[in-house]
Amino acid sequence: MRAVVTGAAGFVGSHLVEKLLARGDEVICIERPGAGRGWLEGLDVAFHDCGLDDPQALGKILCPADVVYHLAALTEARNPAECYKVNTLGTANVMKAAAGCSQSPPRIVFMSSLAAVGPPAEGCRLTGDTAPVPLSHYGRSKLQAEAVIHAYGDRVPAVICRFPAVYGPRDRMVFKLFRMVASGFALTIGPWDRQVSVVHSADAVDGLVAAAESAAANHRTYNIAYPDPITWGEFVQAIGRALGRRPVKLAVPVAAARPIALVAEAAAWVGRHAAALNRDRVRELSQDSWVCDVMTTRREIGFDPRYSLDTGVAATAVWLRRNQWI
């Protein structure tokens, strides 16, 4: 199997590359211009730092492939235009390149997000057919990318995989929560009892591969997550058990978080970097639920998570300690 992975040096991408190599696939990696190999260092892969801006350059890489795992994305951007350029226009270039293949185009497996749909109605779970109402520029850029994929449906086989928060070794987002708990406290915006879906990186990778291999997956949208929702407070408790800590849980009221986010955005604009906290992020964090349904995913592509919450968090904690991140 010849597989192309965009965003290959990132958190989920590097785990996916390792899985593909372990089963004997030929792997070609695409990263942004100037990006180093990062977690791919020493792996037997072809590496291109051409980015996603040039469909012709992409076509030379994609057309001999069997599958393209399109993971490259910006979750934090200096401005909304930057987000749409990478997440939406970059996806359009990937699809254009695949559609231009002289022989059969590769299957595209697109890593999307629950943010593309927005939170579910009260008492409901997000499904592949939920009417989308995204709350952030990130979510809207992902939804527009999904629309691009649908527009190429008559020319390029594709499947969309929507993910909740993904955690595990190498992650630098949820890792912040592990680091806080290791220090004896945990901080969040909004209530600790908000319900969320999560998934360990190993299960996320298994879901992507299952989507690539299933004939039933073509032109479908799947949620990849644990089957059972948890509260954000329960996730912190699991981290505490893994680290042997009982953290003090602190919650910043949403009304107080909004002006903090505004200041963070202004500081980021002056410093010309992406704000880790912005008003879009506060809007998403303040929702009561980010829960998805995975029954269709399990039935149609055989997705069966290997990690429970406790085993996934414990394995992550072991990796963080072994690598002296905490």
Side-chain angles (χ1 to χ4, degrees), residues 164-175:
V166 183
Y167 73 96
R170 304 173 187 164
D171 161 57
R172 291 189 178 275
M173 296 296 291
V174 182
F175 155 66

Side-chain angles (χ1 to χ4, degrees), residues 70 87-89 91-92 95 110 112 139-150 160:
H70 179 34
N87 298 348
T88 305
L89 295 180
T91 300
M95 298 303 291
F110 177 55
S112 191
R140 286 187 284 274
S141 71
K142 281 292 195 179
L143 181 62
Q144 289 182 20
E146 291 186 8
V148 169
I149 290 172
H150 290 307
I160 295 168

Side-chain angles (χ1 to χ4, degrees), residues 2 5 29 55 82 106 124 129 146 165 186 207 214-216 252 254 299:
R2 182 183 174 95
V5 182
C29 300
E82 202 173 57
C124 298
D129 299 319
E146 291 186 8
S214 172
V252 178
V254 174
R299 182 177 64 251

Side-chain angles (χ1 to χ4, degrees), residues 7-307:
F11 162 43
V12 176
S14 60
H15 287 294
L16 174 61
V17 169
E18 288 176 345
K19 180 180 179 68
L20 297 175
L21 289 174
R23 67 179 202 166
D25 288 1
E26 177 187 359
V27 183
I28 301 94
C29 300
I30 297 177
E31 266 294 344
R32 66 188 184 279
R37 287 179 172 248
W39 299 109
L40 306 178
E41 196 66 50
L43 298 183
D44 184 19
V45 298
F47 185 84
H48 302 270
D49 61 351
C50 61
L52 304 176
D53 293 337
D54 186 348
Q56 289 187 337
L58 288 171
K60 295 177 181 178
I61 303 170
L62 269 55
C63 288
D66 299 298
V67 60
V68 176
Y69 295 94
H70 179 34
L71 278 56
L74 282 183
T75 56
E76 297 176 354
R78 291 176 295 182
N79 55 65
E82 202 173 57
C83 199
Y84 291 99
K85 179 182 178 182
V86 174
N87 298 348
T88 305
L89 295 180
T91 300
N93 289 335
V94 168
M95 298 303 291
K96 183 177 181 180
C101 293
S102 58
Q103 298 179 352
S104 298
R107 171 176 281 194
I108 307 296
V109 179
F110 177 55
M111 185 173 183
S112 191
S113 168
L114 296 187
V117 199
E122 185 177 356
C124 298
R125 298 189 184 192
L126 298 172
T127 71
D129 299 319
T130 300
V133 187
L135 302 179
S136 63
H137 285 293
Y138 170 70
R140 286 187 284 274
S141 71
K142 281 292 195 179
L143 181 62
Q144 289 182 20
E146 291 186 8
V148 169
I149 290 172
H150 290 307
Y152 279 88
D154 60 336
R155 288 163 285 173
V156 181
V159 55
I160 295 168
C161 296
R162 290 176 178 159
F163 286 84
V166 183
Y167 73 96
R170 304 173 187 164
D171 161 57
R172 291 189 178 275
M173 296 296 291
V174 182
F175 155 66
K176 297 173 184 176
L177 192 57
F178 279 82
R179 186 168 59 185
M180 283 191 286
V181 172
S183 298
F185 75 100
L187 180 67
T188 191
I189 294 171
W192 282 104
D193 61 356
R194 67 181 185 274
Q195 286 199 315
V196 296
S197 292
V198 296
V199 67
H200 186 272
S201 54
D203 289 323
V205 164
D206 286 349
L208 290 166
V209 173
E213 295 181 336
S214 172
N218 200 27
H219 305 305
R220 298 282 285 156
T221 299
Y222 297 109
N223 297 322
I224 308 294
Y226 290 149
D228 299 317
I230 59 171
T231 68
W232 200 233
E234 287 171 340
F235 190 66
V236 163
Q237 290 171 357
I239 296 174
R241 288 192 295 271
L243 298 179
R245 302 300 301 266
R246 291 186 177 180
V248 176
K249 292 191 293 185
L250 307 172
V252 178
V254 174
R258 291 193 184 103
I260 295 173
L262 185 60
V263 171
E265 288 179 39
W269 182 82
V270 172
R272 296 185 178 183
H273 60 81
L277 180 67
N278 56 39
R279 285 167 290 177
D280 274 359
R281 186 67 178 143
V282 170
R283 193 176 301 114
E284 290 181 335
L285 289 172
S286 64
Q287 303 304 307
D288 291 332
S289 174
W290 282 98
V291 174
C292 64
D293 187 277
V294 298
M295 292 303 296
T296 301
T297 312
R298 301 182 79 175
R299 182 177 64 251
E300 293 190 1
I301 67 173
F303 172 67
D304 188 18
R306 289 181 284 157
Y307 286 91

